[in-house]
Amino acid sequence: MHAGDLGQTALSKGDTVSALERGIAVLRCFSRTDRVLSNTELSERTGIPKPTVTRLAATLVSLGLLRQNAATESFELAAGVVSMAQAFLSGLDVRARARPHMQTLADLTGGTVLLAVRDGLEMVLIEVSRPRMSMISSTLDVGSRVPLPNSALGRAYLAGVDERERAQLIETLHLSRGSEWPRLLPGLDSALAEAGRCGYAGSFGEWHREIGSLATPIQGPNGEVMALNCGGPAFAFNAEKLHGEVAKPLLATAASIAQDIGGSLPLSQSLQRRNP
């Protein structure tokens, strides 16, 4: 089963359609770095038998969501996914409202600023702002994904949801990560505790050893939780700079975005109690 499937806690297994789940698992195999995949690679990544992958891929090709290279027989995403992505992104008015605030934060700190929502056990970027004067540019872009347990974005999201959802997601992460989980859990616990004290969660080379960043959750007007991140290369964005120079403007930017979209900051009440 694909990791993203495990994260869909809203539906019980009996409510889902396995063929649809498998088709989506195939689509989720593709990324910026894995644009072309063979039938064998799709089978290995999803755990779905090759004959079934062949049928699923053929169906996705017929729907215009995949296309097949006649020479290599490998698959890649087709234009059909673009219209769906555009429909999703066009409905996120938060992107337009957040963009100027994000750009101001990027220029002020010299860091890359990211806005993300959860998809399964990952955070997917929906908006990116880079500092205008920086010579160093992040490779992350809209549509990039980062993991929940060890990225600042994922940790901030987990800190921002209610206790029940957080517990469900952490248990699912435990099951999906297996033997890797004991290494991930201490950092996650520490970040969640930090979020409760400070209103933000950090990742200091834990997701990617060359990246340091802080993130904070924002709740939209309909209760949806997203996360705002600011950071950059670890040599320039170490823990001292992040806490001393990035944290305060990050929280102020999140507050401005929340005000503009009619949302709120999930951790603000906790902070007010700690800092009357």
Side-chain angles (χ1 to χ4, degrees):
M1 178 180 289
H2 188 276
D5 301 328
L6 291 169
Q8 305 301 328
T9 57
L11 294 175
S12 68
K13 192 63 181 176
D15 294 327
T16 61
V17 178
S18 60
L20 179 58
E21 284 184 330
R22 291 182 169 193
I24 292 173
V26 168
L27 291 174
R28 282 179 169 167
C29 290
F30 296 90
S31 67
R32 276 166 44 103
T33 55
D34 295 308
R35 297 180 180 179
V36 180
L37 296 170
S38 68
N39 194 54
T40 299
E41 289 171 323
L42 290 171
S43 178
E44 290 174 348
R45 296 182 185 207
T46 60
I48 301 171
K50 284 180 66 176
T52 304
V53 167
T54 300
R55 294 194 298 272
L56 289 169
T59 301
L60 292 168
V61 169
S62 71
L63 294 173
L65 300 177
L66 286 183
R67 61 184 178 188
Q68 187 174 24
N69 185 302
T72 65
E73 296 189 352
S74 295
F75 296 93
E76 58 186 317
L77 294 178
V81 301
V82 176
S83 59
M84 291 192 293
Q86 288 176 334
F88 170 70
L89 292 173
S90 65
L92 292 174
D93 185 56
V94 63
R95 296 174 67 235
R97 293 180 177 272
R99 193 174 296 124
H101 299 293
M102 293 173 63
Q103 188 62 57
T104 298
L105 178 61
D107 291 335
L108 175 66
T109 62
T112 300
V113 181
L114 313 171
L115 186 65
V117 296
R118 182 176 73 86
D119 180 29
L121 297 183
E122 298 174 308
M123 299 296 289
V124 59
L125 305 189
I126 61 172
E127 189 62 43
V128 177
S129 292
R130 297 179 174 83
R132 293 184 177 94
M133 301 303 292
S134 176
M135 299 296 292
I136 302 173
S137 180
S138 169
T139 58
L140 295 174
D141 211 336
V142 172
S144 295
R145 294 170 176 269
V146 300
L148 278 179
N150 53 350
S151 70
L153 282 167
R155 291 169 169 181
Y157 177 88
L158 288 168
V161 298
D162 63 58
E163 291 184 13
R164 182 172 178 271
E165 182 177 355
R166 184 186 309 123
Q168 289 178 334
L169 284 169
I170 289 175
E171 177 61 23
T172 305
L173 284 166
H174 182 185
L175 294 173
S176 69
R177 291 300 186 113
S179 60
E180 187 186 12
W181 186 240
R183 179 179 64 82
L184 295 172
L185 182 58
L188 174 58
D189 283 343
S190 177
L192 292 176
E194 178 180 53
R197 294 191 308 270
C198 306
Y200 57 79
S203 179
F204 310 101
E206 296 161 274
W207 166 57
H208 192 295
R209 63 186 178 86
E210 297 179 358
I211 296 176
S213 62
L214 299 180
T216 189
I218 300 172
Q219 189 172 59
N222 297 317
E224 68 280 13
V225 175
M226 60 202 83
L228 181 73
N229 180 101
C230 183
F235 69 84
F237 288 82
N238 54 30
E240 182 179 2
K241 174 170 179 173
L242 288 167
H243 289 300
E245 300 179 29
V246 173
K248 187 174 180 179
L250 171 69
L251 294 176
T253 300
S256 296
I257 293 172
Q259 182 176 16
D260 276 7
I261 67 174
S264 61
L265 301 182
L267 299 178
S268 61
Q269 291 183 351
S270 174
L271 288 174
Q272 289 169 3
R273 288 195 296 269
R274 290 177 180 275
N275 303 286

